[in-house]
């Protein structure tokens, strides 16, 4: 399969990191394109994504093909040494498609139509949409297959649509037939005897539309699985078209970060390159950790291979209620942080900031202030940094000994109506655990609960509500094989149909974790904390009876749960029945990691400094304000500045050093 390596490490050329962004030049007169190309060169841009929203420009009327402007752009980019990631424009059909084929427009769960006038107004189920999308993809691929600027395909954009309409009902039934074979099996899986929901014919089965009261949770779960799969069908159809024309070029589609709508494991397996769009909030004090988590997840989805930041913002976005820019240095810090965590491509939405349209207040690499603006000056600086790092970094990998298990199937069961607490948010819990590991400087990867875990010393399960039998067998085999496992509350409560396991939690897991009886859940309210002796728990607490031989490492104090385990240990398997406050969770995971033989990247790092090893290089990234000194024994050379340090490294606010061990040259050695 073609990969990012083919682009970043072409034979006979030094390895490089890709740098650039979405380029939407159809907004500008052609004189501007020439200026863009010149400024791209100044900024060290090596890659642009063209055509993401160009459908109405390429096909202004049904069947028309207007490629002249795109030909000129492809040629211009090539002449300036900029490679093109060419997007299929299928995420935003032209108005004529909805006008001619209203059935291409999705319906929401209340039956309301999503009209054109914005973007992403297509139904994954619409036969007419798929036909037109395939035709434009075919034409684009045939036209540019041999263009020398073309480096990669970008299919659609942030697949995220839903449809509850009539065509969707048809494809939902088809998907359900494939899954269950018979209506009886569906009725059993959905527990349809409860509330008289038993289906007698397939035509009675609908998407989970607006209803009087709580919907059947397995029906909703299957609809989420189906939506992810239907969008994946759309992706595959376009991918197969472009592959037929250019089997030598990689294909990707850009994920939203930590996005619940697509099964990220299943999707990544279908791509040649895994790419993501990531927009941490510059005002979030933990924005750096969030960026790190997205990097860890995306790298893991790519199987540890280099991945791609397809989009980030050079400054402010326009979709939060208050959109603040990045202070100078933060864009560079987060860009290099992605590289530290395995990215071989750093790209942005978008190259030149728009003057019209819905995103005119969203930053670009070249902002409204132009080439003299500080945003562009930082764009140039990042280009220089990436050029300096490329030869040593591109294609290298990270080593991790800790895996965090995450799965979309389980995520989809959370947040359902009728849950014990509406405050339990899968993504927030995973983020809290990742943050604890980030604070402790423990490098982590993510893994699916079916993955081979034997290469990890430590496996963490922050929150996997639904676990099928294969996952449970995998966890038990992992611990039997000598691994250390820590599970958070609500692990393995339900099976693949979201049916509660006998006893309220899978019996094999109870055995493994040292739980005799899971009695009752005691979820906590906003601001409520439970005393666990040496720390406080939040969000959740639990009434459980430990099995003989299990050790209560921390117990609830006072109240209904007095004396019952908040943290339980059964050999190498741990169970945490609450969400400890951040520092306590960090301390707990760090001490379990230590006992499992997992060491932080560096000891004694100052507050706010992140350390990551990629290949043979050590990245130090300072997320805090004010200068800091990082103790670092030995001599090192910073690849970004060429400076040689001894014994310590100084970093300014948002400072980054990328260090290699430095042997003194013979003339440097004093006699
Ligand atoms: C997404 C989209 C882009 C743009 C940005 C704005 O990532 O893919 O087209 O809308 O958001 O942040």
């Amino acid at each position: 399969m073609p990969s990012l390596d083919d682009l970043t490490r072409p034979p006979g050329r030094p390895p490089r990191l890709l740098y650039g962004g979405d380029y939407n030049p159809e907004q500008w007169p052609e004189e501007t394109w020439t200026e863009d190309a010149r400024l791209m060169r100044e900024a060290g841009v090596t890659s642009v994504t063209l055509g993401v929203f160009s459908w109405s420009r390429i096909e202004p009327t049904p069947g028309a093909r207007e490629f002249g402007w795109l030909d000129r752009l492809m040629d211009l980019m090539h002449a300036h040494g900029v490679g093109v990631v060419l997007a299929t424009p299928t995420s935003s059909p032209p108005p004529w498609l909805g006008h001619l084929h209203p059935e291409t427009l999705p319906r929401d769960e209340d039956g309301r139509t999503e009209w054109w006038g914005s973007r992403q107004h297509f139904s994954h189920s619409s036969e007419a949409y798929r036909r037109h999308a395939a035709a434009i993809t075919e034409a684009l691929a045939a036209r540019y297959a041999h263009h020398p600027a073309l480096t990669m395909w970008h299919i659609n954009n942030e697949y995220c649509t839903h449809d509850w309409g009539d065509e969707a009902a048809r494809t939902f039934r088809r998907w359900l037939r494939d899954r269950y074979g018979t209506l009886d099996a569906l009725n059993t899986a959905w527990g349809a005897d409860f509330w008289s929901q038993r289906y007698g014919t397939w035509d009675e089965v609908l998407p989970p539309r607006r209803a009087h009261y709580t919907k059947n949770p397995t029906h909703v779960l299957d609809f989420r699985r189906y939506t992810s799969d239907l969008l994946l069908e759309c992706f595959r159809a376009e991918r197969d078209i472009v592959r037929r024309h250019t089997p030598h070029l990689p294909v990707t589609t850009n994920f939203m970060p930590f996005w619940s709508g697509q099964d990220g494991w299943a999707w990544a397996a279908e791509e040649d390159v895994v790419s993501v769009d990531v927009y941490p909030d510059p005002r979030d004090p933990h924005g750096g950790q969030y960026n790190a988590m997205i990097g860890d997840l995306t790298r893991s989805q790519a199987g540890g291979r280099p991945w791609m930041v397809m989009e980030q913002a050079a400054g402010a976005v326009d979709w939060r209620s208050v959109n603040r820019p990045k202070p100078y240095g933060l864009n560079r810090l987060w860009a290099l942080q992605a590289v530290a965590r395995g990215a071989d491509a750093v790209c942005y939405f978008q190259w030149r900031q728009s003057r019209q349209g819905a995103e005119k207040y969203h930053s670009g690499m070249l902002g409204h202030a132009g080439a003299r603006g500080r945003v562009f000056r930082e764009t140039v600086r990042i280009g220089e940094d990436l050029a300096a790092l490329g030869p040593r970094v591109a294609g290298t990998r990270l080593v991790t000994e800790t895996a965090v298990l995450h799965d979309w199937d389980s995520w989809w069961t959370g947040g359902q109506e009728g849950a014990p607490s509406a405050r339990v948010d899968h993504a927030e819990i995973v983020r809290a655990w990742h943050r604890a590991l980030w604070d402790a400087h423990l490098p982590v990867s993510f893994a699916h609960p079916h993955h081979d875990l034997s290469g990890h010393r430590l496996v963490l399960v922050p929150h996997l509500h639904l676990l099928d039998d294969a996952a449970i067998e995998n966890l038990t085999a992992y611990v039997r094989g000598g691994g250390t496992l820590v599970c958070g509350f609500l692990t393995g409560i339900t099976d693949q149909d979201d049916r509660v396991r006998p006893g309220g939690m899978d019996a094999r897991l109870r055995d493994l974790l040292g739980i005799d009886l899971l009695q009752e859940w005691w979820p906590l309210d906003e601001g409520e904390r439970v005393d666990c002796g040496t720390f406080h728990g939040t969000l959740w607490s639990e009434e459980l009876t430990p099995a003989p031989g299990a050790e209560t490492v921390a117990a609830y104090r006072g109240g209904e749960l007095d004396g019952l385990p908040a943290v339980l240990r059964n050999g190498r398997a741990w169970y945490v029945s609450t969400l400890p406050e951040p520092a306590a969770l960090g301390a707990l995971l760090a001490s379990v990691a230590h006992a499992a033989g997992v060491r932080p990247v560096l000891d004694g790092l100052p507050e706010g400094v992140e350390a990551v090893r990629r290949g043979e290089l050590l990245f130090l990234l300072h997320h805090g304000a004010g200068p800091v000194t990082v103790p670092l024994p030995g001599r090192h050379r910073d690849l970004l500045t060429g400076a040689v340090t001894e014994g310590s490294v100084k970093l300014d606010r948002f400072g980054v050093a990328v260090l290699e061990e430095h042997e003194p040259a013979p003339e440097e050695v004093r006699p």
Side-chain angles (χ1 to χ4, degrees):
M1 268 316 153
S3 70
L4 201 49
D5 271 357
D6 302 323
L7 299 182
T8 55
R9 297 155 67 86
R13 288 222 330 244
R16 61 182 185 154
L17 299 167
L18 298 186
Y19 182 45
D22 280 18
Y23 183 34
N24 300 303
E26 53 268 52
Q27 303 172 80
W28 312 101
E30 296 203 14
E31 309 82 81
T32 312
W33 303 0
T34 326
E35 188 193 38
D36 281 333
R38 182 178 58 76
L39 291 172
M40 283 177 190
R41 211 174 223 179
E42 182 181 334
V45 163
T46 56
S47 175
V48 293
T49 303
L50 285 178
V52 180
F53 296 111
S54 300
W55 195 343
S56 71
R57 192 69 188 262
I58 298 171
E59 190 175 3
T61 54
R65 297 287 180 252
E66 301 275 338
F67 282 126
W69 65 278
L70 192 50
D71 293 349
R72 292 196 290 286
L73 269 167
M74 296 284 288
D75 293 347
L76 181 71
M77 292 298 107
H78 183 57
H80 285 77
V82 177
V84 173
V85 176
L86 193 55
T88 62
T90 51
S91 75
S92 203
W96 59 254
L97 186 67
H99 185 65
L100 279 182
H101 294 287
E103 74 277 17
T104 60
L105 302 170
R107 299 285 175 91
D108 71 10
E109 56 195 314
D110 293 343
R112 293 172 305 192
T113 302
E114 289 183 4
W115 297 95
W116 60 90
S118 176
R119 66 179 192 187
Q120 286 153 321
H121 47 280
F122 69 88
S123 164
H124 47 52
S125 291
S126 160
E127 200 276 319
Y129 165 74
R130 288 188 181 204
R131 188 162 25 89
H132 284 274
I136 189 94
T137 300
E138 182 74 46
L140 202 65
R143 179 90 180 181
Y144 297 107
H146 303 294
H147 197 287
L150 180 65
T151 56
M152 194 192 300
W153 288 103
H154 173 307
I155 304 295
N156 202 281
N157 189 66
E158 293 189 341
Y159 277 103
C160 60
T161 56
H162 288 88
D163 189 12
W164 281 259
D166 291 341
E167 267 199 285
R170 183 179 52 75
T171 55
F172 188 38
R173 287 178 204 124
R174 190 240 299 154
W175 184 92
L176 290 166
R177 273 178 196 266
D178 287 348
R179 183 176 176 85
Y180 294 111
T182 66
L183 264 184
D184 266 356
L186 178 144
N187 282 319
T188 305
W190 289 11
D193 282 323
F194 191 71
W195 283 358
S196 173
Q197 291 173 355
R198 177 164 279 276
Y199 295 93
T201 68
W202 284 101
D203 287 346
E204 295 162 16
V205 182
L206 292 172
R209 293 177 178 164
R210 183 178 176 77
H212 176 71
Y213 188 46
T214 308
K215 294 176 197 171
N216 181 312
T218 310
H219 183 183
V220 174
L221 170 64
D222 273 346
F223 188 69
R224 302 195 77 167
R225 289 170 167 153
Y226 143 87
T227 298
S228 176
D229 283 356
L230 263 275
L231 290 170
L232 188 55
E233 281 181 9
C234 294
F235 166 78
R236 276 202 212 107
E238 293 184 27
R239 179 204 61 192
D240 292 349
I241 293 170
V242 300
R243 266 196 189 154
R244 188 158 35 74
H245 288 271
T246 54
H248 58 292
L249 291 183
V251 185
T252 189
T253 183
N254 50 336
F255 292 144
M256 281 192 264
F258 212 50
W259 162 247
S260 66
Q262 287 158 288
D263 179 340
W265 296 118
W267 277 71
E270 303 272 353
E271 297 181 280
D272 301 320
V273 172
V274 182
S275 65
V276 74
D277 303 342
V278 53
Y279 293 94
D281 187 346
R283 292 197 302 174
D284 178 353
H286 305 294
Q289 177 262 319
Y290 174 76
N291 203 39
M293 181 179 81
I294 301 307
D296 289 337
L297 179 61
T298 312
R299 187 187 65 250
S300 307
Q301 288 174 279
R305 285 174 299 146
W307 54 282
M308 182 166 187
V309 180
M310 184 63 86
E311 293 179 22
Q312 59 184 338
V317 299
D318 68 328
W319 40 261
R320 295 193 170 97
S321 54
V322 173
N323 297 296
R324 286 263 270 271
K326 292 177 172 169
Y328 189 79
L330 187 58
N331 178 17
R332 175 177 181 263
L333 173 71
W334 286 350
L336 295 178
Q337 185 189 27
V339 173
R341 291 192 177 253
D344 268 7
V346 173
C347 299
Y348 289 79
F349 175 82
Q350 59 179 330
W351 161 253
R352 182 185 280 270
Q353 185 170 10
S354 299
R355 288 179 52 214
Q356 286 187 294
E359 296 186 320
K360 59 183 181 291
Y361 298 124
H362 189 294
S363 60
M365 297 167 80
L366 177 62
H368 288 156
R372 290 194 302 119
R374 75 155 169 92
V375 172
F376 185 69
R377 299 329 303 166
E378 193 168 12
T379 294
V380 172
R381 187 174 178 207
I382 296 168
E384 289 163 0
D385 290 336
L386 297 178
L389 295 181
R392 294 291 306 283
V393 173
T396 61
R397 296 193 181 203
L398 284 82
V399 175
T400 59
E401 297 179 311
T402 302
V404 174
L405 301 196
H406 169 65
D407 182 26
W408 273 261
D409 230 22
S410 188
W411 193 351
W412 292 330
T413 60
Q416 62 183 231
E417 298 171 283
S421 166
R423 296 189 62 238
V424 173
D425 177 331
H426 176 103
E428 284 305 312
I429 295 172
V430 175
R431 191 171 171 186
W433 282 55
H434 185 276
R435 186 177 144 200
L437 297 160
W438 194 72
D439 286 343
H441 308 291
L442 295 170
V444 297
S445 294
F446 283 86
H448 184 277
H450 291 172
H451 283 170
D452 176 7
L453 304 171
S454 57
H456 292 96
R457 288 174 189 269
L458 177 63
V459 168
L460 307 174
V461 182
H463 190 54
L464 289 178
H465 186 115
L466 175 158
L467 283 177
D468 63 12
D469 288 345
I472 288 167
E473 297 298 341
N474 198 30
L475 290 182
T476 43
Y478 168 71
V479 177
R480 251 187 259 119
T484 300
L485 174 73
V486 187
C487 294
F489 60 85
L490 287 179
T491 295
I493 299 305
T494 62
D495 68 8
Q496 70 288 342
D497 299 327
D498 201 28
R499 180 187 292 107
V500 176
R501 297 274 186 181
M505 182 188 200
D506 184 84
R508 289 158 294 184
L509 269 184
R510 277 186 277 133
D511 256 14
L512 185 72
L513 298 166
I515 298 170
D516 177 40
L517 208 55
L518 184 60
Q519 306 267 9
E520 292 297 324
W521 295 318
W522 293 80
L524 302 176
D525 234 321
E526 179 114 45
E528 209 180 343
R529 305 188 315 166
V530 279
D531 184 353
C532 302
T534 51
F535 65 90
H536 284 96
T538 64
L539 191 64
W540 193 262
S541 58
E542 231 164 64
E543 186 178 344
L544 61 84
T545 315
E551 176 196 351
T552 298
V553 177
Y556 294 111
R557 278 202 188 155
E560 300 290 338
L561 307 183
D562 190 40
L564 295 181
V567 179
L568 187 65
R569 178 184 184 175
N570 191 33
R572 284 184 310 277
W574 296 67
Y575 183 66
V576 188
S577 71
T578 180
L579 181 65
E581 286 183 321
L585 183 58
L588 173 69
L589 297 183
S591 88
V592 178
H594 189 86
V598 180
R599 298 284 173 270
V601 180
L602 281 182
D603 287 315
L605 284 165
E607 168 99 31
V609 176
E610 175 187 7
V612 186
R613 275 189 207 285
R614 180 173 176 187
E616 299 190 330
L617 301 174
L618 174 67
F619 285 69
L620 294 178
L621 304 128
H622 180 27
H623 295 268
V628 289
T629 301
V630 182
L632 188 66
R635 286 164 67 89
H636 292 85
R637 196 177 74 89
D638 184 352
L639 267 56
L640 296 172
T641 60
V644 174
T645 62
E646 188 155 7
S648 66
V649 177
K650 288 198 171 47
L651 296 171
D652 288 330
R653 179 194 194 208
F654 302 143
V656 182
V658 183
L659 303 164
E660 61 174 351
E661 284 182 13
H662 182 72
E663 291 301 328
E667 64 274 16
E668 288 179 60
V669 181
R670 293 209 190 98

